[in-house]
Amino acid sequence: MKILDGKLTAQAIKDELKIEVAQLSVEGKKIPHLAAILVGKNGASETYVAAKVKACEESGFKSTLIRFEEEVSENKLIDVIEKLNNDPDVDGILVQLPLPKHINDENIINAISPDKDVDGFHPVNVGRLVQGLSTYIPATPYGIMLLLKHYKIDTKGMHAVVVGRSNIVGRPISILLSENKNPGNCTVTLCHSQTKNIGELCSKADIIVAALGKPDFITADMVKEGAIVIDVGITRVTDATKKSGFKLKGDVDYENVAPKCSYITPVPGGVGPMTIAALLKNTYKSCVSKN
């Protein structure tokens, strides 16, 4: 069993980007600038955004964090996004989800210019992804593909089972794994809450991508010997023995599943850091397209 170390891989990507950004600076070209919008005081969102800002600093990017109170109106948010769309110095715009209930996520995502949509959620970029065209790939699926590439895992001809059909992870990773590329060229089965035989399907999979947000959902009896397991889930579970009062759990029962795997991602330290690295790569791509 080999651990797919997202921390290590993400650091390698950030180190590469730092060299490339330094070169842009030497040549007098603009350096990447990521603008993040954070609404309210959601603890997990605060942590994610802080990690993204820190990663920008480590890679030599500029970053701007714009904060709003929970009560901010949808129109106010859209006005700010429009200003960022028209700011030539800003290359990437991300709005940290989830948003408060009075704000429509779809309207906010659609307000971001597709050219600056480094989260890859805009319908234009999703459409380009489906057609196999150059685009901004949603950061978590892109991070998974970068991780497989880093470890030189040849996925050609494998049967991949994706558990979860969200637009953020499940659907896009199913598309990427089926593309005529390497990593890719898999036969993909997409499972969801209405799939009747998830356990049976998973037990035949060469690759399992678990992205449904249910701690320990994937158990050892659902995983065949030598499978590759990618755990996207991250849930705070109460734990009185921890100073924080909680621990982080993935969608996979890691302790019992790991011994059966050829490769597995840990939680934390697997897909999470790769999501941020992918976001930086998208922002860099946006920047150099303007240079």
Side-chain angles (χ1 to χ4, degrees):
M1 184 270 292
K2 191 166 184 178
I3 290 172
L4 296 171
D5 192 327
K7 255 186 184 171
L8 205 70
T9 309
Q11 191 59 54
I13 289 168
K14 286 186 285 187
D15 290 345
E16 281 174 22
L17 286 170
K18 188 174 184 178
I19 293 166
E20 288 170 355
V21 170
Q23 186 59 37
L24 290 178
S25 186
V26 166
E27 293 170 5
K29 295 177 178 175
K30 82 177 293 299
I31 62 171
H33 182 182
L34 177 66
I37 297 173
L38 179 60
V39 179
K41 290 186 168 56
N42 177 295
S45 292
E46 292 269 3
T47 303
Y48 294 147
V49 170
K52 289 166 185 175
V53 170
K54 186 184 175 198
C56 283
E57 287 170 12
E58 287 178 16
S59 306
F61 287 34
K62 287 171 68 177
S63 68
T64 301
L65 175 55
I66 304 166
R67 289 176 173 272
F68 289 104
E69 292 299 317
E70 184 116 0
E71 299 72 31
V72 68
S73 72
E74 187 175 299
N75 286 340
K76 171 70 175 169
L77 262 188
I78 290 172
D79 285 347
V80 170
I81 289 167
E82 203 51 49
K83 283 178 185 155
L84 294 172
N85 284 339
N86 294 321
D87 184 345
D89 190 53
V90 173
D91 302 298
I93 302 167
L94 75 87
V95 179
Q96 186 65 42
L97 302 176
L99 291 166
K101 287 180 181 172
H102 68 278
I103 297 173
N104 184 303
D105 290 8
E106 198 177 317
N107 292 343
I108 299 303
I109 289 165
N110 290 351
I112 299 170
S113 165
D115 295 333
K116 297 188 179 186
D117 166 43
V118 289
D119 258 336
F121 296 159
H122 194 285
V124 167
N125 287 324
V126 174
R128 291 182 67 84
L129 173 66
V130 171
Q131 291 187 332
L133 302 172
S134 175
T135 189
Y136 298 113
I137 302 167
T140 298
Y142 186 19
I144 293 168
M145 300 306 282
L146 290 170
L147 192 58
L148 293 170
K149 186 178 180 182
H150 180 83
Y151 280 90
K152 298 180 170 60
I153 297 172
D154 185 356
T155 60
K156 182 174 62 183
M158 287 188 176
H159 178 208
V161 170
V162 178
V163 186
R165 56 179 165 184
S166 74
N167 291 333
I168 294 171
V169 183
R171 284 179 176 165
I173 192 63
S174 69
I175 292 164
L176 291 167
L177 285 170
S178 68
E179 281 188 335
N180 186 13
K181 293 177 182 174
N182 195 20
N185 275 313
C186 294
T187 299
V188 182
T189 302
L190 182 62
C191 299
H192 46 77
S193 59
Q194 303 304 310
T195 303
K196 290 179 180 174
N197 55 340
I198 288 180
E200 186 187 337
L201 289 165
C202 287
S203 69
K204 294 174 182 172
D206 302 305
I207 302 173
I208 297 173
V209 180
L212 68 165
K214 290 187 179 178
D216 294 341
F217 181 86
I218 303 293
T219 52
D221 60 312
M222 296 167 71
V223 180
K224 77 175 185 180
E225 289 289 338
I228 299 163
V229 175
I230 311 289
D231 191 349
V232 182
I234 188 159
T235 307
R236 292 185 178 196
V237 177
T238 304
D239 185 345
T241 66
K242 301 280 185 184
K243 189 178 174 184
S244 62
F246 67 85
K247 63 181 173 183
L248 297 174
K249 295 280 282 181
D251 288 351
V252 176
D253 176 8
Y254 184 89
E255 191 180 332
N256 295 304
V257 168
K260 298 182 80 173
C261 300
S262 56
Y263 295 91
I264 189 168
T265 60
V267 174
V271 174
M274 292 305 300
T275 297
I276 296 174
L279 180 73
L280 294 181
K281 280 186 76 75
N282 276 343
T283 306
Y284 178 81
K285 177 180 177 177
S286 174
C287 175
V288 296
S289 72
K290 301 179 185 80
N291 270 327

